[in-house]
Amino acid sequence: MKFTNGYWLDRPQYQIESPREVFDYRQTDKQLTLYAPFKFIHERGDELNLGMSTIDLTSPIEGVIGVKLTHFDQDTHGPSYHINNQNPDVTITTSDEELTFTSGELTARIPFQTAFQLDFLHGDHLLTQSLDKAQGVIHDKSTNTDYMREQLNVGVEDKVYGLGERFGNFIKNGQEVRIDNQDGGTASEQSYKNIPFYLTDAGYGVFVDQPQPVDFEITSENVDRVQFSTEGQSLQYYVIYGPTPQEILHRYTELTGKTQLPPAWSFGLWLTTSFTTDYSEATVMKFIDGMKDHDIPLDVFHFDCFWQKGFEWSNMEWDRDEFPDPEGLIKKIHDRGIKVCVWINPYIAQKGKMFAEGKEKGYFVKREDGNIWQWDLWQAGNAFVDFTNPDAVKWYQGKLQALIDMGVDCFKTDFGERIPVDDAVFFDGSDPKREHNYYTLQYNQAVFDTLAAAKGQDEAVVFARSATVGSQKFPVHWGGDALSTFKNMADTLHGGLSFLSSGFAFWSHDIGGFEDGPDTPTADLYKRWTQFGLLSSHSRYHGSNVYRVPWNFDDEAVENTRKFVNLKLSLMPYLYTQAAHNTAYGNPLMRPMWFDFMADRTAHTLDNQYMLGSQILVAPVFNHEGHVNLYLPAGKWTSIINDDEVYDIQDGKWLSLDYGELDLPVLARENTILLRNPQAVHADYDFTKDLDIHLYDMHEGTTTVAVVNQQGQDAGSVTVTRHGNELAITTTGLSGNATVLVHENGQVTKAALAGDAVTITL
């Protein structure tokens, strides 16, 4: 949202007031409050007939400084994001020249009774600052609306990332972003998952703690600053010190909620009915048996919307015409070692039985005249479950529990974005503007908590489309309705990397895209998206009006799916260990290149390749020709698919490569200990048993990796000590038969582990 006309002028409808100096302050042990009038005070008469900003500095987490700007101190009517306050020690200093507020290694510095400035520093190094006239108390004279604004400077080379799942350019500099959840697909500026948090490569991040819409101008209105503004009389934000992206995200998730590790089985392949295709019990079993006949392991089968009757979503009742015995069907699927997921949303169609129940008991969002807030978008007469009503939550959870009792293992929690604001009344009196983005958190928590209560916290998982701050506590999320094109496949990756830079650890997408044309997805797009999907944290075949089983495309698609499902399953000892360790620290499994190569400035710009964990680089193919422009940071890189694909890069280098339809760059970096089990047939197995221990260009000295059990707890380890051409491998906690494979310069040397150790001479 723009307020100025160029650099010098304000737009005529806006009256903008800004703090000119800190004239006075108060301090307690944990808080520094600044009083900053809108003009310089030279004499007592200057103190009359003007406003001021009250600026509160606090610290809920060490290394995090909260800034609250207030014009008029007015009450807000929830909801508000939950902030974890660890009550760290802070240091406050005051003098006639300046004031400082320090938490951990982060300091806020403010000149006293001179031109306003708010600097954020690490030691003597300036991270960012709010300069004179950056903060604004703004009145729109044309609409009688008030706004609060802040602007924080960026440096010459600073790049800005995050702000949720955004499908445009990965680097946000130069963009305008509105934090306002919408059902806008993956080919627009709108987003299902808006997060008012941005990450920089300059050692800090910023979280704007406002659930209502927030507008960001990222070096756009003022090209030297990131601006954020919101309607109201106050604005709360937090500056979060790193310096690494891992440490910034750790502190951000400590502040807003720790990420949850999903169950191991959820990392396997999910297959769905697709959306508007015809499906029944016979169709479902044909697909499941077809996967077995084609020797393709499957971990989850998903029933999309039409497991219920049309015009009745979500009534939580099976369409008995197509599924006459759902309990029996679920048992058949379970007997094949496959979990069951069903689609739900929080909108209740008027034709369904749940509508009458919810209307009678007052469980829906209402209009100001007392009637239910309804429309015909999506399903006829849609009403919205009011999750601010505790009884409505229990009612909705009761419907879910009945499905769990039938054998359903998890839920695809679709929608949750188009929540009404105008003429909307919530049970607890929440402000609809604040409730709009927040609603998805209440919805997904209600579902997740039901699963956790029934199955245990470690077994709970949802497949959610919408998200807000704190939703990282309720994984997994998928990218929404992608177009079945190579371009939108790349856009989807950009959205995922943006999302995973915003405090979330796990992410998926519809393999093949969702929005099908008459001839899409093509076989080659399907195969390339399959590779990308199975090299993501979570992997699901889903589409709109085309079945996604591989034999519907061609024989090579079947071979491709089999190959990459088996690759992912074999990697689960590595993937689940990386997932568990990264989750514990609030970090993503799948992440942008620059997270692991901060010293390589080119890596900071990359958005068509990524790291899958800390040791594997993936570069999907986004074209019919199989061409990849690949950037490799310095070091040795070896394909985990083709042993003879090896690159020795001295200073970082772009490569122009071509790949066949069953191949792509999946490269292990040097000094990698990669644990695999090539015999795996499901994603959930004993990750310490019968391992292949792959060693890639090990460094001199000692390197150790852990391996977790199926609950994500460290259960074993592999240690490699290298002296010249001799490698001593020792293990703890492993069982069964283990083989060591040493990858050096395109050659592979194998040796069986004797007991818990072996020494190999190259």
Side-chain angles (χ1 to χ4, degrees):
M1 186 173 187
K2 292 181 169 64
F3 300 101
T4 58
N5 176 16
Y7 189 79
W8 306 109
L9 303 177
D10 298 334
R11 298 191 179 191
Q13 68 268 39
Y14 297 120
Q15 176 184 327
I16 304 178
E17 304 275 14
S18 299
R20 303 313 307 275
E21 67 171 330
V22 173
F23 181 73
D24 198 2
Y25 64 88
R26 290 179 185 169
Q27 71 175 88
T28 65
D29 289 343
K30 300 288 186 177
Q31 180 169 316
L32 178 61
T33 299
L34 314 174
Y35 300 97
F38 296 157
K39 71 176 185 180
F40 291 103
I41 306 302
H42 301 293
E43 58 183 38
R44 285 184 172 180
D46 293 334
E47 299 177 22
L48 304 177
N49 303 314
L50 83 158
M52 71 162 56
S53 287
T54 302
I55 305 170
D56 293 315
L57 302 182
T58 57
S59 178
I61 304 283
E62 184 177 299
V64 177
I65 292 179
V67 181
K68 185 174 183 181
L69 315 177
T70 303
H71 180 218
F72 295 148
D73 187 3
Q74 298 182 346
D75 294 334
T76 58
H77 299 283
S80 297
Y81 294 127
H82 177 74
I83 299 298
N84 295 313
N85 188 350
Q86 298 178 358
N87 199 30
D89 291 334
V90 299
T91 301
I92 300 172
T93 68
T94 63
S95 72
D96 292 341
E97 289 78 34
E98 70 176 23
L99 316 171
T100 68
F101 182 96
T102 299
S103 174
E105 298 182 66
L106 180 64
T107 295
R109 181 180 64 194
I110 312 97
F112 185 53
Q113 293 188 348
T114 187
F116 181 85
Q117 186 168 315
L118 174 56
D119 297 337
F120 296 94
L121 306 105
H122 172 245
D124 293 328
H125 174 65
L126 180 65
L127 299 169
T128 187
Q129 59 188 166
S130 173
L131 293 173
D132 186 33
K133 296 188 178 180
Q135 295 179 10
V137 176
I138 302 171
H139 180 69
D140 185 341
K141 294 174 285 187
S142 66
T143 62
N144 198 32
T145 306
D146 296 306
Y147 299 92
M148 297 292 288
R149 181 191 72 189
E150 175 65 292
Q151 296 173 336
L152 296 177
N153 276 28
V154 295
V156 173
E157 295 186 342
D158 297 357
K159 295 175 180 62
V160 176
Y161 310 89
L163 295 171
E165 185 185 55
R166 318 211 77 84
F167 300 101
N169 290 337
F170 173 56
I171 297 171
K172 299 303 182 287
N173 298 55
Q175 296 184 37
E176 305 172 26
V177 171
R178 182 167 173 81
I179 302 298
D180 185 19
N181 282 1
Q182 297 294 333
D183 180 357
T186 65
S188 80
E189 81 285 1
Q190 295 180 354
S191 173
Y192 306 107
K193 309 174 187 69
N194 289 272
I195 311 298
F197 164 73
Y198 66 86
L199 180 69
T200 76
D201 62 359
Y204 69 94
V206 175
F207 164 46
V208 181
D209 182 13
Q210 303 288 159
Q212 73 270 24
V214 179
D215 289 287
F216 285 83
E217 298 281 348
I218 306 107
T219 66
S220 48
E221 182 171 13
N222 184 314
V223 299
D224 294 337
R225 302 174 181 179
V226 175
Q227 172 179 299
F228 41 93
S229 59
T230 192
E231 187 176 327
Q233 293 285 344
S234 64
L235 174 62
Q236 173 78 62
Y237 69 92
Y238 297 89
V239 176
I240 304 170
Y241 178 64
T244 67
Q246 290 87 347
E247 290 168 295
I248 297 167
L249 291 175
H250 170 67
R251 290 192 171 101
Y252 170 76
T253 54
E254 287 286 305
L255 185 68
T256 62
K258 293 184 178 181
T259 53
Q260 169 79 23
L261 179 67
W265 56 260
S266 71
F267 287 70
L269 179 62
W270 299 48
L271 177 65
T272 86
T273 57
S274 289
F275 173 34
T276 59
T277 50
D278 290 329
Y279 45 92
S280 62
E281 178 172 338
T283 314
V284 168
M285 294 312 302
K286 181 176 73 172
F287 288 163
I288 290 174
D289 291 340
M291 296 294 277
K292 182 178 181 182
D293 293 343
H294 289 90
D295 197 24
I296 299 172
L298 183 64
D299 273 287
V300 184
F301 191 85
H302 167 71
F303 293 81
D304 216 50
C305 313
F306 281 99
W307 69 274
Q308 306 161 104
K309 284 186 177 294
F311 290 107
E312 296 186 14
W313 306 339
S314 281
N315 66 0
M316 309 292 187
E317 293 186 353
W318 289 85
D319 179 349
R320 297 284 176 155
D321 293 334
E322 301 294 345
F323 304 100
D325 180 16
E327 294 94 336
L329 174 58
I330 292 171
K331 184 178 185 303
K332 288 180 188 177
I333 298 172
H334 282 169
D335 288 345
R336 288 160 170 77
I338 297 167
K339 302 288 186 179
V340 171
C341 175
V342 298
W343 177 95
I344 60 171
N345 74 2
Y347 312 155
I348 310 300
Q350 186 170 299
K351 182 175 180 288
K353 293 180 182 177
M354 280 182 67
F355 182 88
E357 291 180 32
K359 178 182 179 181
E360 178 185 355
K361 296 178 180 179
Y363 290 163
F364 299 137
V365 178
K366 295 182 178 180
R367 294 187 181 272
E368 292 176 0
D369 65 6
N371 282 311
I372 297 170
W373 207 108
Q374 291 178 266
W375 61 4
D376 290 329
L377 193 60
W378 184 241
Q379 291 277 280
N382 259 353
F384 299 81
V385 177
D386 187 346
F387 289 101
T388 74
N389 182 340
D391 290 335
V393 173
K394 292 177 184 177
W395 170 71
Y396 192 80
Q397 290 178 319
K399 304 295 183 181
L400 300 175
Q401 186 61 53
L403 293 167
I404 294 171
D405 292 342
M406 282 186 179
V408 169
D409 297 289
C410 59
F411 298 98
K412 172 184 171 180
T413 48
D414 207 351
F415 291 81
E417 306 95 358
R418 288 178 174 154
I419 308 307
V421 172
D422 295 335
D423 192 24
V425 176
F426 289 85
F427 174 83
D428 71 347
S430 284
D431 181 346
K433 292 179 181 179
R434 296 170 69 90
E435 183 66 31
H436 173 83
N437 287 337
Y438 196 85
Y439 184 93
T440 179
L441 184 68
Q442 297 163 322
Y443 161 41
N444 279 285
Q445 180 170 2
V447 179
F448 193 92
D449 286 352
T450 306
L451 288 163
K455 297 177 174 293
Q457 188 80 9
D458 294 342
E459 282 292 300
V461 65
V462 296
F463 209 83
R465 188 174 75 175
S466 55
T468 189
V469 174
S471 294
Q472 67 268 13
K473 296 181 289 186
F474 313 118
V476 170
H477 296 82
W478 102 97
D481 298 346
L483 307 182
S484 294
T485 66
F486 276 113
K487 177 61 170 68
N488 208 235
M489 177 181 163
D491 298 336
T492 295
L493 173 57
H494 304 162
L497 294 178
S498 179
F499 181 63
L500 294 163
S501 302
S502 304
F504 291 77
F506 305 101
W507 174 78
S508 186
H509 42 97
D510 289 343
I511 297 176
F514 176 78
E515 290 291 341
D516 304 319
D519 300 309
T520 59
T522 59
D524 58 346
L525 174 64
Y526 176 87
K527 284 176 272 191
R528 293 305 188 188
W529 211 316
T530 292
Q531 296 162 7
F532 170 36
L534 285 160
L535 291 164
S536 301
S537 81
H538 287 75
S539 312
R540 186 183 75 149
Y541 278 127
H542 184 60
S544 182
N545 56 6
V546 175
Y547 297 125
R548 287 294 189 265
V549 289
W551 53 89
N552 275 7
F553 295 88
D554 60 29
D555 291 342
E556 195 175 57
V558 174
E559 182 184 354
N560 183 71
T561 299
R562 183 188 306 119
K563 175 179 178 177
F564 284 92
V565 172
N566 285 330
L567 174 64
K568 185 174 190 183
L569 297 184
S570 79
L571 287 169
M572 279 301 293
Y574 164 78
L575 291 175
Y576 207 58
T577 299
Q578 289 269 330
H581 290 178
N582 280 287
T583 298
Y585 202 62
N587 279 208
L589 171 61
M590 177 181 178
R591 67 270 203 126
M593 291 288 298
W594 76 272
F595 276 35
D596 293 289
F597 298 94
M598 285 190 66
D600 187 327
R601 296 302 300 179
T602 301
H604 293 227
T605 68
L606 302 175
D607 58 5
N608 285 336
Q609 59 189 73
Y610 56 92
M611 295 299 291
L612 186 60
S614 61
Q615 303 304 114
I616 295 177
L617 182 156
V618 180
V621 178
F622 295 115
N623 53 70
H624 300 285
E625 297 78 20
H627 187 73
V628 178
N629 290 316
L630 173 67
Y631 180 81
L632 292 180
K636 290 184 178 179
W637 297 87
T638 304
S639 171
I640 68 171
I641 299 175
N642 305 306
D643 290 324
D644 57 353
E645 185 182 356
V646 180
Y647 305 97
D648 189 354
I649 306 297
Q650 298 304 310
D651 297 308
K653 185 178 181 180
W654 280 100
L655 303 174
S656 181
L657 305 171
D658 293 295
Y659 288 85
E661 284 205 329
L662 299 184
D663 203 2
L664 78 162
V666 186
L667 308 176
R669 63 194 293 191
E670 65 184 27
N671 204 42
T672 289
I673 302 172
L674 186 62
L675 306 182
R676 297 176 61 174
N677 184 337
Q679 307 305 316
V681 294
H682 285 291
D684 188 4
Y685 58 89
D686 185 348
F687 302 134
T688 67
K689 186 177 180 182
D690 296 333
L691 294 180
D692 283 357
I693 303 170
H694 294 261
L695 309 179
Y696 292 92
D697 296 295
M698 300 305 298
H699 290 176
E700 285 287 315
T702 298
T703 305
T704 299
V705 299
V707 62
V708 298
N709 58 23
Q710 291 150 285
Q711 290 72 48
Q713 302 160 334
D714 284 359
S717 67
V718 176
T719 298
V720 178
T721 300
R722 180 167 193 160
H723 297 293
N725 289 330
E726 185 176 275
L727 282 78
I729 298 97
T730 58
T731 67
T732 64
L734 305 190
S735 63
N737 300 313
T739 301
V740 179
L741 300 93
V742 181
H743 302 256
E744 294 248 349
N745 302 316
Q747 303 297 315
V748 181
T749 303
K750 294 185 181 181
L753 199 67
D756 59 5
V758 69
T759 298
I760 299 174
T761 301
L762 302 177

